[in-house]
Amino acid sequence: MLGGIDILIGGHRGFAAKYPHNSWEGFSAGLASSDFFELDVRRTSDGVRVLAHDPNIAGGELVDATWGEVCQLDMGGGVRPITLDLLVGRIGDIPLDLELKNLPWHPDFDPTMEHPLAAAALARPQDMVTSFSWETMAAVRSAFPEIRTGLLVEPPVELDQAIKHAIEGGHNLVVPDFSMVESAAQVDAIHNHGLEIAVWTVNNGADARRLRDMGVDAVVTDDPPHIRQEVNP
């Protein structure tokens, strides 16, 4: 999915600067300015794959609510939550970055990997699957060797550690917090290992241009039209 002359622009949770996160309204509005979308996948008590960044919603735990309850929630202005299945079926051919939320300290952690793997199974050839849970990504890599996979990383974990783990695990890319990328030499080293690099969350034009000039493959941003104008005027 990544690579090419121009840096790719990914809409963070759709078009998070102007619309409720992970909403159909945000994805739809961001289509004209995004090369791909990043989104977050969690589950309800009845196993529905819902798009949500946080484990709690409307004062309760998402994993304790049914989809029938969750789909009635108002995320602002009458906007309702949506499922991963609905988004994949409706969004068209634009690539998706499915971030699987499955951390041991979250209430919806699934050590069996049943639910994360069910979400990963919906990835299309143009999509990729990522997670901060490297254990989850190992399970995805094993179950679906054809899917593009990446490791999310943020301090205090070091980028070099993620690169080493990605190489050993057969992943395709590393996805660090943009502040962890400091030089073109660092990006070149990542590419020389056969990996790609996408970074998050870049909302400042100067940061986006710096990362583009370093050779980063893609940036994820809350405001895709703004960052596109900044890096590809």
Side-chain angles (χ1 to χ4, degrees):
M1 185 187 78
L2 305 182
I5 297 173
D6 293 326
I7 194 168
L8 297 183
I9 308 300
H12 187 222
R13 307 175 195 166
F15 192 164
K18 295 189 176 181
Y19 295 86
H21 296 194
N22 289 301
S23 67
W24 170 249
E25 289 78 359
F27 291 113
S28 180
L31 273 171
S33 54
S34 302
D35 297 305
F36 67 99
F37 285 122
E38 183 270 353
L39 53 93
D40 306 290
V41 186
R42 292 190 180 274
R43 61 188 169 97
T44 61
S45 63
D46 46 350
V48 174
R49 294 169 286 271
V50 62
L51 301 190
H53 177 268
D54 298 331
N56 49 34
I57 190 166
E61 305 294 359
L62 183 62
V63 73
D64 292 333
T66 66
W67 171 242
E69 296 167 328
V70 172
C71 71
Q72 299 300 316
L73 296 174
D74 188 338
M75 299 194 296
V79 174
R80 308 294 183 188
I82 61 171
T83 66
L84 175 61
D85 302 61
L86 182 148
L87 182 68
V88 169
R90 183 186 288 182
I91 198 63
D93 293 334
I94 187 169
L96 303 175
D97 169 7
L98 284 60
E99 180 185 338
L100 306 180
K101 295 293 191 181
N102 194 43
L103 294 169
W105 53 90
H106 286 181
D108 53 357
F109 175 61
D110 178 12
T112 72
M113 302 296 167
E114 174 186 354
H115 294 288
L117 290 179
L122 294 180
R124 305 161 301 172
Q126 68 268 38
D127 299 334
M128 63 183 179
V129 177
T130 61
S131 183
F132 283 105
S133 168
W134 297 358
E135 179 184 5
T136 299
M137 292 314 305
V140 172
R141 180 84 270 152
S142 176
F144 305 107
E146 73 283 2
I147 291 178
R148 290 172 50 77
T149 54
L151 303 181
L152 281 155
V153 57
E154 63 181 343
V157 179
E158 295 183 355
L159 182 52
D160 285 347
Q161 182 180 353
I163 294 168
K164 181 176 183 293
H165 198 89
I167 295 167
E168 293 174 348
H171 300 293
N172 304 99
L173 67 158
V174 289
V175 191
D177 181 313
F178 82 92
S179 66
M180 302 175 74
V181 183
E182 300 175 344
S183 70
Q186 188 180 29
V187 174
D188 287 344
I190 291 169
H191 289 155
N192 290 339
H193 284 300
L195 299 172
E196 294 169 308
I197 176 170
V199 299
W200 53 275
T201 302
V202 183
N203 294 325
N204 178 276
D207 289 329
R209 291 189 296 273
R210 175 178 61 86
L211 291 158
R212 175 201 61 194
D213 294 345
M214 287 181 186
V216 166
D217 297 292
V219 295
V220 174
T221 176
D222 292 328
D223 195 340
H226 169 64
I227 294 300
R228 180 171 295 284
Q229 178 62 30
E230 290 287 336
V231 299
N232 299 318

